[in-house]
Amino acid sequence: MTSEVATITAAAIAGMVALAGVVSGFFLGRRQVRDQAAVEHGQWLRGQRQDAYVALLDAWDTAVKEFQEEIDQGEYFDEIAAHEEARMGDSFWEDHEESTAAHVDRISEGVQRPLERVLLLGPELVDKACINLAEALEALGSSVRSKSGTSGWPNYDMYRDMYRNAGKARSAFLDASRESMRAAPRPGR
């Protein structure tokens, strides 16, 4: 082999090595940028989830407190009902049923947006707990409405059962959201 052929061969090999370096650098750089973007998005999503979970728990606690205040009115209801029924007749019971339904609907609406926000952000484990939370709130509201418009209102037994179930649903949501928040964002997910 002559020196010219050796030089050309060495130059060709060097060129191929350089080209391989450029191509691998390009792909590794793309991978690094994609991984960095995935981690940053994961951090952003994690912050959004944390805000949404806290907002939902705040709205939930407020709604449960307002349901309890509505039920607590039952302590004085017999005295008021007797007086108002004598004054208004059957329209008192109709008004009471409509008023109770309106209060329950208003209270429940305060939780709707935070629930939807959590459902948008996920993950699936939290979505399931969120759906259970929504169902527990609906059942709690139904227990407040139960027997409204009658002298048997409030239905304390039903309310106590639904209140216990609501507490379990809140604990399950808290556990699911805690597990979701503890998973750190990673590239390649």
Side-chain angles (χ1 to χ4, degrees), residues 5 11 19 21 28-29 39 66 74 88 91-92 100 112 117 128 152 173 179:
V5 172
L19 181 61
L28 288 175
V39 168
E66 290 177 3
M88 297 175 62
S91 69
F92 167 74
T100 302
Q112 192 60 39
R117 185 171 178 217
K128 289 177 183 177
F173 175 78
E179 186 175 325

Coordinates of all heavy atoms in Angstrom, one line a residue, residues 5 11 19 21 28-29 39 66 74 88 91-92 100 112 117 128 152 173 179:
V5 N -2.5 6.0 -0.7 CA -3.6 5.2 -0.5 C -3.9 5.2 1.0 O -5.0 5.2 1.5 CB -3.4 3.8 -1.0 CG1 -4.5 2.8 -0.6 CG2 -3.4 3.8 -2.5
A11 N -8.1 9.3 5.9 CA -9.0 10.4 5.8 C -10.4 9.9 5.7 O -11.3 10.5 6.3 CB -8.6 11.3 4.6
L19 N -18.6 11.8 10.9 CA -20.0 11.7 10.5 C -20.8 10.9 11.6 O -21.9 11.3 12.0 CB -20.2 11.1 9.2 CG -21.6 11.0 8.6 CD1 -22.2 12.4 8.5 CD2 -21.6 10.3 7.3
G21 N -20.1 10.6 14.7 CA -20.1 11.4 15.9 C -21.2 12.5 15.8 O -22.0 12.8 16.7
L28 N -28.6 12.0 20.4 CA -28.4 12.2 21.8 C -28.9 13.5 22.3 O -29.5 13.6 23.4 CB -27.0 11.9 22.3 CG -26.5 10.5 22.2 CD1 -25.0 10.4 22.5 CD2 -27.3 9.6 23.1
G29 N -28.6 14.6 21.5 CA -29.1 15.9 21.9 C -30.6 16.0 21.8 O -31.2 16.6 22.7
V39 N -39.5 16.1 31.9 CA -39.4 16.4 33.3 C -40.0 17.7 33.7 O -40.7 17.8 34.7 CB -37.9 16.3 33.7 CG1 -37.7 16.9 35.1 CG2 -37.3 14.9 33.7
E66 N -71.4 22.9 55.5 CA -72.7 23.5 55.2 C -73.8 22.5 55.3 O -74.9 22.9 55.7 CB -72.7 24.2 53.8 CG -71.8 25.5 53.8 CD -71.7 26.2 52.5 OE1 -72.3 25.7 51.5 OE2 -71.0 27.1 52.4
G74 N -82.4 21.1 62.2 CA -83.4 20.2 62.6 C -83.7 20.2 64.1 O -84.8 19.8 64.5
M88 N -99.2 28.9 57.6 CA -99.1 28.8 56.1 C -99.9 27.6 55.6 O -100.1 27.5 54.4 CB -97.7 28.7 55.7 CG -96.9 29.9 56.0 SD -95.1 29.8 55.6 CE -95.2 29.5 53.8
S91 N -98.6 24.8 52.3 CA -97.5 25.5 51.5 C -96.2 25.6 52.3 O -95.1 25.7 51.7 CB -98.0 26.9 51.1 OG -98.1 27.7 52.2
F92 N -96.3 25.5 53.6 CA -95.0 25.5 54.4 C -94.2 24.3 54.0 O -93.0 24.4 53.8 CB -95.3 25.5 55.9 CG -94.1 25.2 56.7 CD1 -93.1 26.1 56.9 CD2 -93.9 23.9 57.3 CE1 -92.0 25.8 57.6 CE2 -92.8 23.6 58.0 CZ -91.8 24.6 58.2
T100 N -84.9 23.4 50.9 CA -83.9 22.4 51.2 C -83.2 21.9 49.9 O -82.0 21.8 49.9 CB -84.5 21.2 52.0 OG1 -85.1 21.7 53.1 CG2 -83.4 20.2 52.3
Q112 N -68.4 21.3 42.4 CA -68.3 20.8 41.0 C -67.1 21.2 40.2 O -66.4 20.4 39.6 CB -69.6 21.3 40.3 CG -69.8 20.5 39.0 CD -70.0 19.0 39.2 OE1 -70.6 18.6 40.1 NE2 -69.4 18.3 38.3
R117 N -61.8 19.8 37.8 CA -60.4 20.2 37.6 C -59.5 19.0 37.9 O -58.5 18.6 37.2 CB -60.0 21.4 38.4 CG -58.6 21.8 38.2 CD -58.3 23.1 38.8 NE -56.9 23.5 38.6 CZ -56.1 24.1 39.5 NH1 -56.6 24.5 40.7 NH2 -54.9 24.4 39.2
K128 N -60.5 7.8 40.1 CA -61.4 6.9 40.8 C -61.8 7.4 42.2 O -63.0 7.4 42.5 CB -60.8 5.5 40.9 CG -60.7 4.8 39.5 CD -60.0 3.5 39.6 CE -59.8 2.8 38.3 NZ -59.1 1.6 38.3
G152 N -91.0 14.5 59.4 CA -89.9 13.6 59.8 C -88.5 14.1 59.5 O -87.5 13.4 59.7
F173 N -59.6 9.6 49.0 CA -59.1 10.6 48.0 C -57.7 11.1 48.5 O -56.8 11.3 47.7 CB -60.1 11.7 47.8 CG -59.5 12.8 47.0 CD1 -59.5 12.7 45.6 CD2 -59.0 14.0 47.6 CE1 -59.0 13.7 44.8 CE2 -58.5 15.0 46.8 CZ -58.5 14.8 45.4
E179 N -50.3 9.5 47.2 CA -49.5 8.6 46.4 C -49.2 9.2 45.1 O -48.0 9.0 44.6 CB -50.3 7.3 46.2 CG -49.5 6.2 45.5 CD -50.3 4.9 45.4 OE1 -51.0 4.6 46.3 OE2 -50.1 4.2 44.4

